[in-house]
Amino acid sequence: MAAMTASTPVAISGEPNGKITILYDAFGTDPTMTKDWGFSALVEIAGKRILFDTGDNAAIFEKNVKAKGVDLTTLDFVVLSHRHSDHMAGLSYVLSVNPTVKIYAPKESFGIFGSSLPSAFYRKDEALPEEMRYYGGKPPQVMQFGAAWPNAQFQLIDQTTEIAPGITLIAMISDLPGTRELKELSLAVNTPDGLLLIVGCSHPGIERIVEAAAAINPKIHLIAGGFHLVVATDDAIEKIVSALKDKFKVENIAPGHCTGEPSFAALKKAFGTRYIYAGLGTSLVLGPDIDVRRGEGPAFDDLALYRKFASRED
């Protein structure tokens, strides 16, 4: 595993098309699955099976996983984008069926995924009696802090890191009010068709995340996930949509979760047939032309029908 450098980016080999399956979200058409606020997606690409986030409720996540017939015992690894419960609460179910799976999560000084700090971080007063001093005045050199899942195989990420050839975790920190200092990971997969970018909530800002992704490959083939525009003003939405379409020239967009209904509408209008529906239960078959499959959903099984819908401006 290597941190990002300025070397030439590696694209994964062009094996048959990969697939993204949405396992948790609050909108969708599949009657066998339960809609709920949160996000999870299974990313199958380059011979890897990657679970990105695990939703807000373990029982609902389990139900949705079983409805799609997803086998969690054969995952290569899990990525938890950030510490908010609507992205990680289903991890308890994942661990019940696959207790040794590797889990990538953000590294934080004090975090739910576990952490450590040198004991030098706190000031000491040697004049105090032993019974008033931490560890009796003899602290360990490194203080270990527990995780909510103590036996899980966490690998904590604190900088943008290529974790496998062509597969990178982009590590960023929010500087926005309400989530300041929140660390978040996004998944970038460099394919022959361009970069595939999966985002959880985009708390650091979707523009900043895409800018970091473009340093890996300026050709952004697809962005999927939550853009955190659910309470944004129309002006802010317009600015973001314009940046994604005109500045970064994103080829396809598949927003979900916290992107927000007004943002869905604005992105659909701006991207037209390149706006890809990604509701709960949807599978996006990846390649030069992204195919949309809704499984049990009552509509849009035919890609041509979907593209006709996507091109409407009402």
Side-chain angles (χ1 to χ4, degrees):
M1 185 177 71
M4 283 296 296
T5 67
S7 60
T8 302
V10 176
I12 61 172
S13 60
E15 77 170 41
N17 291 337
K19 183 170 66 173
I20 301 172
T21 301
I22 308 302
L23 298 175
Y24 212 104
D25 213 323
F27 69 103
T29 63
D30 191 329
T32 70
M33 304 179 79
T34 298
K35 292 185 282 290
D36 187 41
W37 191 266
F39 188 68
S40 177
L42 177 66
V43 181
E44 299 173 277
I45 196 165
K48 302 289 187 185
R49 302 184 75 250
I50 305 164
L51 181 65
F52 186 90
D53 285 343
T54 64
D56 187 59
N57 179 287
I60 293 174
F61 179 70
E62 177 182 359
K63 178 180 183 292
N64 289 348
V65 164
K66 290 179 176 178
K68 294 301 290 185
V70 170
D71 183 3
L72 296 180
T73 67
T74 60
L75 296 173
D76 287 280
F77 54 87
V78 176
V79 177
L80 296 179
S81 63
H82 63 294
R83 65 176 183 249
H84 286 169
S85 62
D86 56 335
H87 292 258
M88 66 179 190
L91 182 60
S92 57
Y93 174 66
V94 178
L95 292 172
S96 74
V97 298
N98 193 346
T100 62
V101 67
K102 180 185 290 187
I103 305 163
Y104 291 102
K107 183 178 181 180
E108 304 191 53
S109 297
F110 290 88
I112 196 169
F113 309 121
S115 58
S116 63
L117 278 176
S119 58
F121 88 91
Y122 71 88
R123 293 178 60 200
K124 300 175 177 60
D125 188 342
E126 296 182 1
L128 284 174
E130 183 177 292
E131 65 268 22
M132 291 181 66
R133 302 194 64 199
Y134 300 127
Y135 301 96
K138 299 177 181 178
Q141 186 173 359
V142 177
M143 298 167 58
Q144 299 289 338
F145 304 103
W149 302 271
N151 298 316
Q153 304 301 305
F154 285 110
Q155 187 153 341
L156 303 181
I157 302 294
D158 63 354
Q159 61 181 319
T160 295
T161 304
E162 187 179 58
I163 58 173
I167 301 178
T168 299
L169 293 179
I170 298 172
M172 302 194 77
I173 304 174
S174 173
D175 61 2
L176 300 175
T179 59
R180 201 177 306 278
E181 296 186 357
L182 178 68
K183 296 187 177 183
E184 184 165 339
L185 302 179
S186 302
L187 175 67
V189 184
N190 202 14
T191 80
D193 300 312
L195 200 73
L196 165 66
L197 180 62
I198 310 294
V199 293
C201 246
S202 303
H203 287 293
I206 186 63
E207 282 187 88
R208 289 181 60 210
I209 294 171
V210 174
E211 186 173 29
I216 301 171
N217 186 345
K219 179 180 166 68
I220 310 293
H221 183 56
L222 171 69
I223 306 174
F227 297 177
H228 203 61
L229 300 171
V230 68
V231 296
T233 64
D234 288 344
D235 287 346
I237 292 170
E238 183 179 358
K239 176 178 178 292
I240 296 295
V241 171
S242 176
L244 295 176
K245 183 174 181 287
D246 301 322
K247 177 182 177 181
F248 295 107
K249 302 189 185 305
V250 174
E251 294 179 350
N252 299 280
I253 203 120
H257 183 43
C258 59
T259 302
E261 294 177 6
S263 300
F264 290 156
L267 288 163
K268 173 178 168 288
K269 182 176 181 179
F271 281 83
T273 58
R274 297 181 294 117
Y275 178 96
I276 310 299
Y277 179 84
L280 178 63
T282 301
S283 290
L284 310 180
V285 180
L286 305 172
D289 296 309
I290 298 170
D291 193 3
V292 181
R293 301 178 185 175
R294 287 206 187 186
E296 298 295 330
F300 305 117
D301 293 317
D302 185 326
L303 180 60
L305 177 61
Y306 171 72
R307 293 198 184 283
K308 180 178 179 181
F309 171 83
S311 66
R312 292 168 50 192
E313 296 188 358
D314 52 50

